[in-house]
Amino acid sequence: MTLMTFVYLIAGLVLLVAGAEVLVRGAARLAAQFGIPPLIIGLTVVAFGTSAPETAVSVQAALDGSGDIAIGNVVGSNIANVLLILGLSALVAPLLVSRQLIRLDVPLMIGASLVTWALAMDGQLGRLDGALLFGGVVAYTAFLIVSSRKDKAASNGDEFAEEFGLHEAPKPYAWALNLALVVAGLVLLVGGSNLLVEGAVTLAKALGLSELVIGLTIIAVGTSLPELATSMIAAFKGERDIAVGNVVGSNLFNLLCVLGLASLVSPLPINVSANALAFDFPVMIAVAVACLPIFFAGYCIKRWEGALFVAYYAIYTVWLIMHSTAAPGLGLFSQAMLWFVLPLTAITLLVIGGRAWKLQR
């Protein structure tokens, strides 16, 4: 392993984050110039843009035949989004949870997780599977647009307009500048994904780790940096409901759009490892299901719950690394998971669920 491996990883992450930011700003302003309302831009361009790094990496990995990185990126990002990003955001300030998230978006996230797991049960995701998943994100986006137009009390998109300067009068030839930003963003995303995937494969071989573990950890956290930045800034600014909605929406897009698109463009079906099916997919689903009782309890994620999320993510990451390297302490660690961590998790969820039930009464 050489210094260039780390240079590739760092440069790839920087290019991905910068590319996503440039692409979203250029596309949002270009859409506004064509008369598209700010709210619709926020529900489509901005939503897709925050998942652009995951999309670029998973598509590139699928084209290169690195299916484990493509799968690990999506599954790992979804786990990191809830446990790490929501956990850290809740440590900054208790997060508010809207009723729509609990009634619609979280159940959809759980459903999408289960459907993806079921489609991958045969050990691969082919183009038909990709078409079904991508069709899901198209239907979900259309539903969001229609429901937002019907809802008289819905936000008119001022937060998106202010963030991206959509209310400003366009300057002459502004469309050319915005189009250049879109092209530049795409170039940065492609270049960043190439560097990141190449660096990740080299790192996995040098450390004796599987590509799946690298995808579940380094790449997953790296491509989730836009979501982390958005949620943390929202928490600091007191926009505590945006932080939660950002994570849930990103998880839905990761499963339906990112994995769907990667499966569609891949020349061969994406292979899904037995380890991912037996452990990582169930962890992702368990994390999604755990959101319901926690979100339901007072429609708030408290600081201690955020700390618990972060602790669980640390435990999951340590287990992945130990398992991949066949570390001597794996047996003891697994026993601790079985006899201490899992019962503690079950008790915690029962207590939170009981509190939520009392509140509903």
Side-chain angles (χ1 to χ4, degrees), residues 263-314:
S263 302
L264 275 174
V265 303
S266 178
L268 296 173
I270 298 176
N271 291 324
V272 184
S273 72
N275 286 337
L277 290 171
F279 182 72
D280 302 298
F281 270 96
V283 169
M284 179 186 71
I285 294 168
V287 166
V289 171
C291 287
L292 276 179
I294 291 175
F295 289 5
F296 219 7
Y299 301 101
C300 177
I301 306 175
K302 297 180 174 57
R303 280 192 171 94
W304 71 268
E305 292 168 337
L308 197 64
F309 273 5
V310 174
Y312 284 161
Y313 186 74

Side-chain angles (χ1 to χ4, degrees), residues 142-211:
F143 170 79
L144 286 179
I145 294 173
V146 172
S147 61
S148 66
R149 285 178 170 173
K150 289 183 178 179
D151 188 358
K152 301 294 184 181
S155 166
N156 59 8
D158 285 341
E159 67 274 19
F160 299 114
E162 182 179 352
E163 174 69 19
F164 297 101
L166 303 184
H167 286 333
E168 300 174 2
K171 299 178 181 179
Y173 304 107
W175 65 269
L177 175 60
N178 293 327
L179 183 60
L181 288 176
V182 172
V183 174
L186 291 173
V187 171
L188 290 173
L189 285 171
V190 172
S193 63
N194 275 319
L195 290 176
L196 188 61
V197 170
E198 184 174 344
V201 172
T202 304
L203 183 65
K205 292 177 180 178
L207 296 179
L209 297 172
S210 68
E211 291 183 5

Side-chain angles (χ1 to χ4, degrees), residues 16 19-20 23-24 47-57 189 223 226-227 258:
L16 282 172
L23 175 65
V24 169
F48 278 99
T50 56
S51 292
E54 287 93 340
T55 305
V57 170
L189 285 171
T223 55
E227 287 89 347
V258 176

Side-chain angles (χ1 to χ4, degrees), residues 100-123:
Q100 178 183 335
L101 276 174
I102 297 173
R103 293 174 179 173
L104 176 66
D105 297 288
V106 173
L108 282 177
M109 178 177 68
I110 296 171
S113 302
L114 290 169
V115 168
T116 306
W117 190 31
L119 291 175
M121 273 297 183
D122 60 353

